Amino acid sequence: VADRITRKENTDFVSGTGTTKARGFLTYTAGSATYARGSIEQVNSGTSAAVTANGTLDVMGALKEIYQPNAVWLMKRLTYTAFLKLKDTSNQFLFGIDFLKTGIAVPTLAGKRVVFADDMPAVAANALAAAYGDFAEGYTIYDRLGLIVQRDPFTAKGFVKFYTYKRTGG
């Protein structure tokens, strides 16, 4: 049950409307480099339905310096694959995967960690396919009580029902 609720919450934190669910960070209006409450800056990172290396660097460069140390990329695994396929004029790959001393692969893009979120849109025209920022500063998740399980032995005689819920917002 907890896994199922967590998957639903993840979807809501990305694209939820805010009505009977958390408001997802992709639903905020497009802002600019100057601060405006209730908006998030959006930077064009490529051509229609494709990612570009220059667009990737433009996105990273648009984030204010104070947020750069803890910034991460958030994207669908398929989007990350599209970034990894980018090559220069010499047919050399522009981005790669970093490896820890233990040999474990760490997904990175231009030196920043990548977090996979299947709820992010795929690369397409006018899609917000990748997000970059310090999510601890830019988006707050409220979890009021944790997972609540209530036992109900009265509704169906001879059986015990369990009601499970969680009160969360973003």
Side-chain angles (χ1 to χ4, degrees), residues 15 25 35 43 56 69 83 86 96 105 117 128 130 163 170:
S15 59
F25 64 87
Y35 175 77
V43 177
T56 304
F83 279 109
L86 293 175
L128 299 173
Y163 297 98

Side-chain angles (χ1 to χ4, degrees), residues 101-142:
K101 289 180 184 177
T102 57
I104 297 173
V106 179
T108 60
L109 182 60
K112 291 295 188 172
R113 189 168 62 96
V114 175
V115 177
F116 296 122
D118 196 44
D119 299 305
M120 290 291 289
V123 175
N126 299 319
L128 299 173
Y132 177 72
D134 183 349
F135 289 92
E137 288 290 327
Y139 188 75
T140 304
I141 295 173
Y142 297 99

Side-chain angles (χ1 to χ4, degrees), residues 50-119:
V51 296
T52 64
N54 287 343
T56 304
L57 300 177
D58 288 344
V59 170
M60 293 180 73
L63 187 65
K64 290 182 174 31
E65 190 60 39
I66 192 165
Y67 304 117
Q68 289 288 353
N70 296 321
V72 297
W73 288 97
L74 184 68
M75 65 184 71
K76 188 182 282 280
R77 186 176 297 275
L78 194 59
T79 302
Y80 182 61
T81 304
F83 279 109
L84 290 180
K85 290 179 182 177
L86 293 175
K87 295 181 181 181
D88 65 10
T89 56
S90 303
N91 210 25
Q92 298 293 317
F93 289 105
L94 294 172
F95 302 113
I97 300 172
D98 291 339
F99 288 89
L100 298 175
K101 289 180 184 177
T102 57
I104 297 173
V106 179
T108 60
L109 182 60
K112 291 295 188 172
R113 189 168 62 96
V114 175
V115 177
F116 296 122
D118 196 44
D119 299 305

